[in-house]
Amino acid sequence: MTKREEYEQKTEKLLIPIMEANGFELVDVEYVKEAGNWYLRAYIDKPGGITVDDCEVVNRELGDLLDRDDFIDESYILEVSSPGLGRPLKKERDFIRSKGEEVEIRTYRMVDRQKEFRGVLKAWDKDTVTIEYEDGQEQVFERDNIALIRLAFDF
C-alpha cells in the first residue's frame, strides 16, 4: 500500500462517524499533489445537496481529528466539498446511484476512431460498463480502457 492510499484509508475511517452523525454520504477521499502542494480532499454529499455550512462542519471536525492523530508527514491543505457536477463514478454505490443517468466515458485507447462517448448508464460489472445511445444501440466498454466515467452535464 502506498503512503497516499494509507492516508486516504485512515482519513476515511476518521470521516465515517462524522458522516453518520450528520446524515451525509462520503463520496471520496483523495490525497494528491497539485502545483507543488499536497491536498487532502473529502467529497461529501446528502439528498438535496451539500451546503457551505455542511462542508465547514466536516472540515472543522475532521481537522481536529487529523491534528490529534497526526499521521500525515507532509504539510497539506484540507478541503471538504461536494462532488459537484460531472462527478466521477468510482465506487459501486456511484454506479448504483447513476444507473439510468447520462454519463460521459473517456477511453485510453481509440474505440471506433474516438475516445469520448456519451450515453445512458445501463449496466456494469467488474470488467465492463454498458451505455445506451439515443438510437437505442448499446455499447460495452472494457473497464481497463476507461480513463474516466462521470455524470454528464449540460450548460
mmCIF file of all heavy atoms in Angstrom, residues 7 11 14 28 35 50 54-55 65 67-68 90 112 120:
data_model
loop_
_atom_site.group_PDB
_atom_site.id
_atom_site.type_symbol
_atom_site.label_atom_id
_atom_site.label_comp_id
_atom_site.label_asym_id
_atom_site.label_seq_id
_atom_site.Cartn_x
_atom_site.Cartn_y
_atom_site.Cartn_z
ATOM 1 N N TYR A 7 -2.986 7.120 3.719
ATOM 2 C CA TYR A 7 -3.569 8.377 4.218
ATOM 3 C C TYR A 7 -5.060 8.457 3.878
ATOM 4 O O TYR A 7 -5.879 8.880 4.698
ATOM 5 C CB TYR A 7 -2.858 9.589 3.619
ATOM 6 C CG TYR A 7 -1.427 9.790 4.054
ATOM 7 C CD1 TYR A 7 -0.602 10.672 3.379
ATOM 8 C CD2 TYR A 7 -0.880 9.101 5.145
ATOM 9 C CE1 TYR A 7 0.714 10.880 3.764
ATOM 10 C CE2 TYR A 7 0.434 9.301 5.534
ATOM 11 C CZ TYR A 7 1.230 10.186 4.843
ATOM 12 O OH TYR A 7 2.531 10.384 5.224
ATOM 13 N N THR A 11 -8.015 8.491 6.678
ATOM 14 C CA THR A 11 -8.914 9.648 6.680
ATOM 15 C C THR A 11 -10.366 9.188 6.541
ATOM 16 O O THR A 11 -11.252 9.694 7.228
ATOM 17 C CB THR A 11 -8.535 10.632 5.558
ATOM 18 O OG1 THR A 11 -7.177 11.044 5.745
ATOM 19 C CG2 THR A 11 -9.436 11.855 5.563
ATOM 20 N N LEU A 14 -11.672 8.072 9.832
ATOM 21 C CA LEU A 14 -11.999 9.204 10.704
ATOM 22 C C LEU A 14 -13.323 9.856 10.288
ATOM 23 O O LEU A 14 -14.064 10.365 11.126
ATOM 24 C CB LEU A 14 -10.886 10.256 10.662
ATOM 25 C CG LEU A 14 -9.529 9.880 11.247
ATOM 26 C CD1 LEU A 14 -8.534 11.024 11.044
ATOM 27 C CD2 LEU A 14 -9.648 9.541 12.729
ATOM 28 N N ASP A 28 -15.872 10.392 -1.667
ATOM 29 C CA ASP A 28 -14.493 10.029 -1.988
ATOM 30 C C ASP A 28 -13.530 10.798 -1.088
ATOM 31 O O ASP A 28 -13.886 11.851 -0.545
ATOM 32 C CB ASP A 28 -14.190 10.378 -3.456
ATOM 33 C CG ASP A 28 -12.971 9.646 -4.012
ATOM 34 O OD1 ASP A 28 -12.508 8.676 -3.372
ATOM 35 O OD2 ASP A 28 -12.489 10.036 -5.080
ATOM 36 N N ALA A 35 0.440 21.469 -8.241
ATOM 37 C CA ALA A 35 1.215 22.717 -8.254
ATOM 38 C C ALA A 35 2.105 22.846 -7.017
ATOM 39 O O ALA A 35 2.187 23.908 -6.406
ATOM 40 C CB ALA A 35 0.280 23.918 -8.375
ATOM 41 N N ILE A 50 -25.134 19.403 -0.686
ATOM 42 C CA ILE A 50 -24.310 19.858 0.433
ATOM 43 C C ILE A 50 -24.215 21.381 0.418
ATOM 44 O O ILE A 50 -24.097 21.979 -0.645
ATOM 45 C CB ILE A 50 -22.903 19.222 0.310
ATOM 46 C CG1 ILE A 50 -22.949 17.743 0.696
ATOM 47 C CG2 ILE A 50 -21.864 19.953 1.117
ATOM 48 C CD1 ILE A 50 -23.213 17.447 2.146
ATOM 49 N N ASP A 54 -22.324 22.817 5.744
ATOM 50 C CA ASP A 54 -22.060 21.382 5.926
ATOM 51 C C ASP A 54 -20.566 21.107 5.773
ATOM 52 O O ASP A 54 -19.971 20.373 6.571
ATOM 53 C CB ASP A 54 -22.818 20.546 4.883
ATOM 54 C CG ASP A 54 -24.330 20.636 5.019
ATOM 55 O OD1 ASP A 54 -24.828 20.898 6.135
ATOM 56 O OD2 ASP A 54 -25.015 20.428 3.991
ATOM 57 N N CYS A 55 -19.963 21.695 4.749
ATOM 58 C CA CYS A 55 -18.528 21.493 4.499
ATOM 59 C C CYS A 55 -17.692 22.031 5.659
ATOM 60 O O CYS A 55 -16.715 21.401 6.066
ATOM 61 C CB CYS A 55 -18.112 22.169 3.190
ATOM 62 S SG CYS A 55 -18.831 21.386 1.725
ATOM 63 N N LEU A 65 -9.552 15.967 14.327
ATOM 64 C CA LEU A 65 -9.109 14.562 14.411
ATOM 65 C C LEU A 65 -7.742 14.366 13.739
ATOM 66 O O LEU A 65 -6.898 13.618 14.239
ATOM 67 C CB LEU A 65 -10.148 13.637 13.767
ATOM 68 C CG LEU A 65 -11.508 13.564 14.475
ATOM 69 C CD1 LEU A 65 -12.490 12.742 13.654
ATOM 70 C CD2 LEU A 65 -11.365 12.991 15.875
ATOM 71 N N ASP A 67 -5.417 16.658 13.419
ATOM 72 C CA ASP A 67 -4.415 17.269 14.307
ATOM 73 C C ASP A 67 -4.077 16.326 15.452
ATOM 74 O O ASP A 67 -2.916 16.182 15.835
ATOM 75 C CB ASP A 67 -4.929 18.602 14.878
ATOM 76 C CG ASP A 67 -4.999 19.701 13.821
ATOM 77 O OD1 ASP A 67 -4.389 19.527 12.743
ATOM 78 O OD2 ASP A 67 -5.662 20.722 14.088
ATOM 79 N N ARG A 68 -5.086 15.662 15.987
ATOM 80 C CA ARG A 68 -4.890 14.740 17.108
ATOM 81 C C ARG A 68 -4.057 13.513 16.679
ATOM 82 O O ARG A 68 -3.104 13.137 17.349
ATOM 83 C CB ARG A 68 -6.253 14.286 17.653
ATOM 84 C CG ARG A 68 -6.162 13.388 18.885
ATOM 85 C CD ARG A 68 -7.471 12.677 19.154
ATOM 86 N NE ARG A 68 -7.677 11.651 18.135
ATOM 87 C CZ ARG A 68 -8.846 11.090 17.857
ATOM 88 N NH1 ARG A 68 -9.928 11.474 18.496
ATOM 89 N NH2 ARG A 68 -8.942 10.165 16.937
ATOM 90 N N LYS A 90 -16.726 6.025 -9.263
ATOM 91 C CA LYS A 90 -15.586 5.231 -8.831
ATOM 92 C C LYS A 90 -16.019 3.976 -8.090
ATOM 93 O O LYS A 90 -15.510 2.898 -8.332
ATOM 94 C CB LYS A 90 -14.674 6.050 -7.913
ATOM 95 C CG LYS A 90 -13.975 7.190 -8.605
ATOM 96 C CD LYS A 90 -13.050 7.908 -7.652
ATOM 97 C CE LYS A 90 -12.253 8.988 -8.364
ATOM 98 N NZ LYS A 90 -11.282 9.610 -7.485
ATOM 99 N N ASP A 112 -13.733 2.677 -32.091
ATOM 100 C CA ASP A 112 -14.457 3.214 -33.257
ATOM 101 C C ASP A 112 -13.949 4.607 -33.626
ATOM 102 O O ASP A 112 -14.727 5.529 -33.872
ATOM 103 C CB ASP A 112 -15.970 3.259 -32.987
ATOM 104 C CG ASP A 112 -16.546 1.881 -32.674
ATOM 105 O OD1 ASP A 112 -15.995 0.884 -33.175
ATOM 106 O OD2 ASP A 112 -17.531 1.817 -31.919
ATOM 107 N N VAL A 120 -26.576 6.663 -21.812
ATOM 108 C CA VAL A 120 -27.228 6.349 -20.544
ATOM 109 C C VAL A 120 -26.598 5.085 -19.951
ATOM 110 O O VAL A 120 -26.453 4.075 -20.639
ATOM 111 C CB VAL A 120 -28.752 6.151 -20.760
ATOM 112 C CG1 VAL A 120 -29.419 5.669 -19.484
ATOM 113 C CG2 VAL A 120 -29.380 7.450 -21.243
#
